[in-house]
Amino acid sequence: MGRCSLLLLLLASLTPGAASPVSPSLRAPSSLPWSTSFGSRPTITPKYSIRYIQQKVDHFGFNIDRTFKQRYLIADNYWKEDGGSVLFYTGNEGDIIWFCNNTGFMWDIAEEMKAMLVFAEHRYYGESLPFGADSFSDSRHLNFLTTEQALADFAKLIKYLKRTIPGARNQPVIALGGSYGGMLAAWFRMKYPHLVVGALASSAPIWQFNDLVPCDVFMKIVTTDFSQSGPNCSESIRRSWDAINRLAKKGPGLRWLSEALHLCTPLTKLQDVQHLKDWIAETWVNLAMVDYPYESNFLQPLPAWPVKVVCQYFKYSNVPDTLLLRNIFQALNVYYNYSGQAKCLNVSETATSSLGVQGWSYQACTEMVMPTCSDGVDDMFEPHSWNMKEYSDDCFKQWGVRPRPSWIPTMYGGKNISSHTNIIFSNGELDPWSGGGVTKDITDTLLAIVIPNGAHHLDLRASNALDPVSVQLTRSLEVKYMKQWVTDFYVRLRKMN
Amino acid sequence: MGRCSLLLLLLASLTPGAASPVSPSLRAPSSLPWSTSFGSRPTITPKYSIRYIQQKVDHFGFNIDRTFKQRYLIADNYWKEDGGSVLFYTGNEGDIIWFCNNTGFMWDIAEEMKAMLVFAEHRYYGESLPFGADSFSDSRHLNFLTTEQALADFAKLIKYLKRTIPGARNQPVIALGGSYGGMLAAWFRMKYPHLVVGALASSAPIWQFNDLVPCDVFMKIVTTDFSQSGPNCSESIRRSWDAINRLAKKGPGLRWLSEALHLCTPLTKLQDVQHLKDWIAETWVNLAMVDYPYESNFLQPLPAWPVKVVCQYFKYSNVPDTLLLRNIFQALNVYYNYSGQAKCLNVSETATSSLGVQGWSYQACTEMVMPTCSDGVDDMFEPHSWNMKEYSDDCFKQWGVRPRPSWIPTMYGGKNISSHTNIIFSNGELDPWSGGGVTKDITDTLLAIVIPNGAHHLDLRASNALDPVSVQLTRSLEVKYMKQWVTDFYVRLRKMN
């Protein structure tokens, strides 16, 4: 995507090895205490055991027979052998403990589903590093970071659990995941239907590939979120880019901008301005994704409905450039300093040195090519076209590999997936990734649920007193379908015996 | 399998680099003229074009971006753009031209199906060598010889054909294959249902893995074929092993055996005797596979019902060892010298130096581990248990890799495949591989057809005046189902537009 490609390029040049294209589910600041992620709900420590399984580094070749330890979490507090189930979280691009603690839905329904909970860490993230500290050293070591290998890990883990846990053998397993993990959950059901009876794919943009959806849909949804959250909001942000350009061109402009935005590292050259704008744009994108109805701490500590809070600073139209930029600072401050502890704003903050960022950057440069673009007219961003050639060159520079943008649709079916069954695709209407998601039923068993007022995989989060009715209904429906899959499974089992 | 493992070991030690475990579909002697394979039918040269497509050597990793030329054949004589279809042969372990010429069924139904015929060569066979002459040099070069890579080649080829052939884009594709190629056809429908509307998997032993079926089922079926083809037939063969052992122990026994069996290379040591017995056993297995009702030339030029012809030499029970062995020679002569041209019998003949043999030996040592065993009581062979440890050690010695016997069931579902649709599993009742095949309907759309008096993928061969009614009915049924898939496809297409 024009923008992401640019981000990738810029961040790569500024902070080598830490490039970060927009990723559907974002990573936790490494210092984030898990318990805060339950928002305004009383903090409950989920009880799980941490376990490890030896996995082949390469499931699809025999020359390298090396194994590595994949981490997974398991909780059986509410599990029942009789009529129970296994809820299997298909881990995505980050530390599995963090995802576990941000997927309260599974904990909330464990008792009702008589379910064992399993959270499987995705290879190359968290502690599940195929080559330890060398895992990201070059394209040779990164070669086994693919969706196919990750799904094969999940398959082997499920077979292992069924073999080793007494009573688990004849139980139905359901895959659940959000964002990239939601894609994995859906794809897992498509490719390994013998191992999972169904999948809940929350906020899974399985169609944000190739030309399956227009590349501008993502930024349009971000823009709609902002324009619906306050008068003049998206217009002000659209105007801000030119205001920054104008200010930057003036003599003391860079210094003025650095001070007005309280940047930790002052801008010194014009390239820094592009980087600043990319960082600001990514902040708006992130805010749209985590526009939750209650105080939360997913990417940052944030107030309820953070986009509304941000938009309060953009009430008035046609304010002078300097005032607009001071308002931009106030808005950024909502995202980066809700706690009030930050002394300055760090424009490299989205590019943490966590492994997750490196892993996703590589994945975005290989299989997970998700084109986005903007035109500055139907969206509030600067115009950026999608330039595959440039994107590919950037990837080659950074990782020594070239993306294969048509591979994911070839492998997973693109829009032609109607022969599969038992997948729920849920999408928050506010979530920019819903543009690449399945938002209409495909068949009787490939179901779409759209959650008005829902942001990025809101349904997977713990239930909260401030939840809109829409997400409460969504969760009930999801449980209803999952129970049906479980019932169907046991009916078939009885027939076979 | 005990026997195959042994064969592998022995042949490997006798003729390095040319080991050959029993393979579900056997390879053609390289000198075989294709046209004779149509048996007693008048020779018709199918008209096809030979084409090539550039394929990634590694679809599942990005470090190696190398490509190779995959060969495929295409015939559009009877293809109709309006309401037509594409019949796609999922190539197996050999030269695609040879398979093309042995799959007369596709040519016979092309007009009725308004079908374009495509025959895709399997990587590492025929001319489709990822690293040219180096393809078999070591486990590093062989690393990309897997079923997953082969299926991905097929997927890319279908996408390419749909993109580049005007009129093919909105046509239904059906996968067809026999033996290992039948497994690939079934697995292709399971893994890429967005690319093929259904699959005809002929003589595809998809359950001859791990412990999905008893390991002795294969040899039992061979034995039944022989015992049903003449009085005392299987008993005589069962007795022959001990007769050979007794003769070999006598002073001039090896020379006598070498002369009685007209061996090209005389036996000189006791190990040669084990090799001789393995070679004879494999001959009986091959005969059971190609026990066709008419003169044919699939593995060798053979008379109609060759097992019956062989059994004529075993009419009498309790003949002396020397007479029994002279009869064994007569029986072997049916298989190896029907043409009357052979001056002597070559016990290394099943281990040709063709690429196909090497490729299959590697596949049998990695993914395609198909256990077989014999007990000498319920079958006519010497007892051989299945010893996975020994098998694995032999593989490691030969290829530097270790097999993963549980991988295929993990990947392709084992017996739990009921969520898939539109696959016909046809099995000849005489075919030893039918023991690992699907011989009972699984659902309304996962159908099994058993062909009485049918040998290995008889239904895929060209129609013949001597065909039993059973195979004629089978083919009609197959066409009926395939037409239904095509109709369903066009109904869906019209609904969508």
Side-chain angles (χ1 to χ4, degrees):
Chain A
M1 54 190 137
R3 219 193 119 260
C4 281
S5 163
L6 216 54
L7 254 186
L8 183 71
L9 182 62
L10 273 170
L11 292 179
S13 61
L14 287 173
T15 53
S20 157
V22 171
S23 146
S25 64
L26 289 127
R27 282 151 301 279
S30 50
S31 60
L32 183 71
W34 70 264
S35 57
T36 59
S37 62
F38 280 82
S40 61
R41 210 186 175 214
T43 299
I44 301 162
T45 310
K47 283 187 189 155
Y48 53 73
S49 310
I50 300 178
R51 304 250 174 97
Y52 298 87
I53 177 177
Q54 289 291 334
Q55 293 277 11
K56 298 279 183 200
V57 166
D58 189 2
H59 293 292
F60 302 102
F62 291 74
N63 187 41
I64 293 179
D65 206 34
R66 185 189 168 106
T67 59
F68 74 99
K69 284 200 304 183
Q70 180 189 22
R71 182 168 59 163
Y72 64 98
L73 314 178
I74 195 160
D76 60 5
N77 321 43
Y78 293 112
W79 181 48
K80 294 272 181 296
E81 278 194 42
D82 185 26
S85 64
V86 179
L87 301 183
F88 187 93
Y89 184 86
T90 50
N92 31 326
E93 73 281 27
D95 187 295
I96 194 60
I97 293 181
W98 181 63
F99 285 121
C100 171
N101 290 324
N102 272 285
T103 311
F105 175 63
M106 281 170 65
W107 297 91
D108 288 344
I109 65 171
E111 187 168 8
E112 185 169 4
M113 299 291 295
K114 301 178 187 172
M116 180 190 302
L117 306 185
V118 179
F119 296 84
E121 191 159 67
H122 191 297
R123 54 168 58 201
Y124 288 86
Y125 294 96
E127 289 187 4
S128 302
L129 303 177
F131 299 96
D134 295 332
S135 297
F136 300 92
S137 56
D138 56 32
S139 66
R140 209 163 49 87
H141 288 88
L142 279 159
N143 193 48
F144 310 98
L145 173 49
T146 64
T147 58
E148 293 85 356
Q149 300 276 9
L151 296 184
D153 289 336
F154 298 152
K156 299 273 270 190
L157 176 53
I158 288 175
K159 296 267 279 191
Y160 170 79
L161 295 174
K162 292 209 159 201
R163 202 169 58 240
T164 55
I165 299 178
R169 188 184 179 83
N170 284 321
Q171 288 218 336
V173 182
I174 294 172
L176 300 95
S179 194
Y180 168 51
M183 301 194 219
L184 293 175
W187 293 339
F188 193 56
R189 168 66 186 167
M190 294 180 196
K191 295 294 185 184
Y192 297 84
H194 51 290
L195 296 179
V196 286
V197 296
L200 170 54
S202 175
S203 294
I206 60 165
W207 291 341
Q208 192 80 40
F209 292 90
N210 235 3
D211 52 0
L212 296 176
V213 296
C215 62
D216 63 0
V217 66
F218 184 93
M219 290 308 202
K220 273 187 182 167
I221 298 173
V222 176
T223 303
T224 303
D225 291 353
F226 279 77
S227 61
Q228 288 177 347
S229 295
N232 294 309
C233 193
S234 61
E235 292 83 350
S236 300
I237 290 171
R238 187 186 289 112
R239 282 188 53 235
S240 71
W241 313 115
D242 273 348
I244 292 173
N245 293 341
R246 279 189 295 268
L247 285 163
K249 274 184 200 151
K250 287 182 189 169
L254 293 185
R255 210 179 65 216
W256 187 90
L257 273 168
S258 305
E259 284 171 10
L261 299 175
H262 295 64
L263 302 183
C264 300
T265 311
L267 309 168
T268 58
K269 49 191 187 300
L270 272 181
Q271 284 124 295
D272 293 354
V273 176
Q274 187 57 52
H275 184 233
L276 172 75
K277 288 187 289 183
D278 290 336
W279 170 76
I280 295 174
E282 193 164 338
T283 307
W284 308 143
V285 165
N286 289 0
L287 274 161
M289 274 196 261
V290 296
D291 195 18
Y292 296 128
Y294 44 80
E295 267 200 337
S296 68
N297 189 350
F298 186 55
L299 302 174
Q300 296 276 359
L302 285 176
W305 298 118
V307 177
K308 273 205 183 74
V309 177
V310 158
C311 285
Q312 285 173 354
Y313 297 101
F314 300 119
K315 276 184 207 161
Y316 305 107
S317 63
N318 293 318
V319 299
D321 286 355
T322 50
L323 181 54
L324 178 57
L325 264 293
R326 288 192 200 280
N327 291 339
I328 290 279
F329 165 71
Q330 296 294 342
L332 292 170
N333 218 31
V334 172
Y335 184 76
Y336 290 109
N337 196 19
Y338 182 56
S339 66
Q341 305 293 304
K343 300 250 183 298
C344 58
L345 301 188
N346 178 358
V347 297
S348 296
E349 200 181 55
T350 58
T352 72
S353 61
S354 88
L355 294 172
V357 172
Q358 285 186 280
W360 185 258
S361 167
Y362 175 84
Q363 288 196 264
C365 274
T366 48
E367 289 183 309
M368 302 300 290
V369 184
M370 306 171 79
T372 63
C373 60
S374 54
D375 64 6
V377 178
D378 293 320
D379 56 64
M380 66 187 192
F381 297 91
E382 285 192 296
H384 282 295
S385 58
W386 170 252
N387 185 331
M388 192 58 223
K389 168 81 174 66
E390 195 183 287
Y391 187 90
S392 178
D393 289 346
D394 292 346
C395 287
F396 192 74
K397 242 181 261 170
Q398 197 186 0
W399 296 110
V401 296
R402 293 203 176 270
R404 299 175 188 164
S406 69
W407 174 244
I408 288 284
T410 299
M411 186 67 189
Y412 299 111
K415 292 212 165 176
N416 186 1
I417 56 174
S418 62
S419 69
H420 302 287
T421 57
N422 293 2
I423 306 176
I424 305 167
F425 295 96
S426 62
N427 282 284
E429 208 170 27
L430 303 176
D431 180 17
W433 292 110
S434 67
V438 179
T439 51
K440 282 181 190 159
D441 289 356
I442 296 174
T443 66
D444 285 354
T445 66
L446 288 184
L447 302 155
I449 304 177
V450 175
I451 313 166
N453 300 315
H456 200 47
H457 50 61
L458 174 62
D459 50 336
L460 289 192
R461 297 180 62 79
S463 113
N464 187 294
L466 296 174
D467 274 330
V469 175
S470 61
V471 78
Q472 296 172 27
L473 289 173
T474 297
R475 291 185 188 126
S476 311
L477 211 54
E478 288 165 353
V479 169
K480 189 189 124 187
Y481 289 127
M482 288 193 279
K483 281 182 160 178
Q484 189 59 53
W485 301 339
V486 170
T487 305
D488 293 347
F489 173 89
Y490 282 114
V491 168
R492 271 198 311 275
L493 193 68
R494 268 193 301 275
K495 261 189 208 161
M496 272 160 46
N497 298 338
Chain B
M1 54 191 138
R3 222 193 117 260
C4 280
S5 163
L6 217 54
L7 254 186
L8 182 72
L9 183 63
L10 274 170
L11 292 180
S13 62
L14 287 173
T15 53
S20 156
V22 171
S23 145
S25 64
L26 289 128
R27 282 154 301 280
S30 50
S31 60
L32 183 72
W34 71 264
S35 57
T36 59
S37 62
F38 280 83
S40 61
R41 210 185 174 215
T43 299
I44 301 162
T45 310
K47 282 186 189 158
Y48 53 73
S49 310
I50 300 178
R51 304 249 175 97
Y52 298 87
I53 177 177
Q54 288 292 332
Q55 293 278 10
K56 299 278 182 202
V57 166
D58 189 2
H59 293 292
F60 302 103
F62 291 73
N63 188 42
I64 293 178
D65 207 33
R66 184 189 169 106
T67 59
F68 73 100
K69 283 200 305 182
Q70 181 189 22
R71 181 169 58 163
Y72 64 98
L73 315 178
I74 195 160
D76 60 5
N77 322 42
Y78 293 111
W79 181 49
K80 294 273 182 293
E81 278 194 42
D82 184 25
S85 63
V86 179
L87 301 183
F88 188 93
Y89 183 86
T90 50
N92 30 326
E93 73 282 26
D95 187 295
I96 194 60
I97 293 181
W98 181 63
F99 286 120
C100 171
N101 289 325
N102 271 286
T103 311
F105 176 62
M106 282 171 64
W107 297 92
D108 288 344
I109 65 171
E111 187 168 8
E112 185 170 4
M113 299 291 294
K114 302 177 186 171
M116 180 190 300
L117 306 185
V118 179
F119 296 84
E121 191 159 69
H122 191 298
R123 53 167 59 200
Y124 288 86
Y125 295 96
E127 289 187 5
S128 301
L129 303 177
F131 299 96
D134 295 332
S135 297
F136 301 91
S137 56
D138 57 32
S139 65
R140 209 163 49 85
H141 288 87
L142 279 159
N143 193 48
F144 310 98
L145 172 50
T146 65
T147 57
E148 292 85 356
Q149 300 277 9
L151 297 184
D153 290 336
F154 298 152
K156 298 272 270 192
L157 176 52
I158 289 175
K159 297 267 280 192
Y160 170 79
L161 296 173
K162 291 209 159 201
R163 202 169 58 240
T164 55
I165 300 178
R169 186 186 180 83
N170 284 321
Q171 287 219 336
V173 182
I174 294 172
L176 300 95
S179 195
Y180 168 51
M183 301 194 218
L184 293 175
W187 294 339
F188 193 55
R189 168 64 187 167
M190 294 180 196
K191 296 293 186 184
Y192 296 84
H194 51 291
L195 296 179
V196 286
V197 297
L200 170 55
S202 175
S203 294
I206 60 165
W207 290 341
Q208 191 81 39
F209 292 90
N210 234 4
D211 52 0
L212 295 175
V213 296
C215 64
D216 63 1
V217 66
F218 184 93
M219 291 308 202
K220 274 187 182 168
I221 298 171
V222 177
T223 303
T224 304
D225 291 354
F226 279 77
S227 61
Q228 289 178 347
S229 295
N232 294 310
C233 193
S234 62
E235 292 83 349
S236 299
I237 290 172
R238 188 187 288 111
R239 281 188 54 234
S240 71
W241 313 116
D242 273 349
I244 292 173
N245 292 341
R246 277 189 296 268
L247 285 164
K249 274 184 201 150
K250 288 181 188 168
L254 295 185
R255 210 180 64 218
W256 187 90
L257 274 169
S258 305
E259 285 171 10
L261 299 175
H262 294 64
L263 302 184
C264 300
T265 310
L267 309 168
T268 58
K269 50 190 186 301
L270 273 182
Q271 284 125 295
D272 292 356
V273 176
Q274 187 56 51
H275 185 231
L276 171 75
K277 289 187 288 184
D278 291 335
W279 171 76
I280 295 174
E282 193 164 339
T283 308
W284 308 143
V285 166
N286 289 1
L287 274 161
M289 275 196 261
V290 296
D291 195 19
Y292 296 128
Y294 44 80
E295 268 200 336
S296 67
N297 189 350
F298 186 54
L299 303 174
Q300 296 277 359
L302 286 176
W305 298 118
V307 176
K308 273 205 183 75
V309 178
V310 158
C311 285
Q312 286 173 353
Y313 297 101
F314 300 119
K315 277 185 206 160
Y316 305 106
S317 61
N318 293 319
V319 299
D321 286 355
T322 50
L323 180 55
L324 178 57
L325 264 293
R326 289 192 199 281
N327 292 339
I328 290 279
F329 165 70
Q330 296 294 341
L332 291 170
N333 218 31
V334 172
Y335 184 77
Y336 291 109
N337 196 19
Y338 182 56
S339 66
Q341 305 294 306
K343 299 251 182 298
C344 58
L345 301 188
N346 178 358
V347 296
S348 296
E349 200 181 55
T350 58
T352 74
S353 60
S354 87
L355 294 172
V357 172
Q358 286 187 280
W360 185 258
S361 167
Y362 175 84
Q363 289 196 263
C365 273
T366 47
E367 290 183 308
M368 302 302 290
V369 184
M370 306 171 78
T372 62
C373 60
S374 54
D375 65 6
V377 178
D378 293 319
D379 55 64
M380 65 187 193
F381 297 91
E382 285 192 299
H384 282 297
S385 58
W386 170 252
N387 185 331
M388 192 59 224
K389 167 82 174 64
E390 195 183 287
Y391 187 90
S392 178
D393 289 346
D394 292 346
C395 286
F396 191 74
K397 242 180 261 170
Q398 197 186 359
W399 295 110
V401 296
R402 292 202 175 271
R404 299 176 189 164
S406 69
W407 174 243
I408 288 285
T410 299
M411 186 67 188
Y412 298 111
K415 292 212 164 176
N416 185 1
I417 56 173
S418 61
S419 69
H420 301 289
T421 56
N422 293 2
I423 306 176
I424 305 167
F425 296 96
S426 62
N427 282 284
E429 208 170 27
L430 303 176
D431 181 16
W433 291 111
S434 67
V438 179
T439 52
K440 282 180 189 160
D441 289 356
I442 296 175
T443 66
D444 285 353
T445 66
L446 289 184
L447 302 155
I449 304 177
V450 175
I451 312 166
N453 299 315
H456 201 46
H457 51 60
L458 174 62
D459 51 336
L460 289 192
R461 298 179 63 78
S463 113
N464 188 294
L466 296 173
D467 274 328
V469 175
S470 61
V471 76
Q472 296 172 27
L473 289 173
T474 298
R475 291 186 187 125
S476 311
L477 211 53
E478 288 166 352
V479 169
K480 188 190 124 188
Y481 289 127
M482 288 192 280
K483 282 182 159 178
Q484 189 59 52
W485 301 339
V486 170
T487 305
D488 293 347
F489 172 89
Y490 282 114
V491 168
R492 271 198 311 276
L493 192 68
R494 268 194 300 276
K495 262 189 208 161
M496 272 160 45
N497 297 337

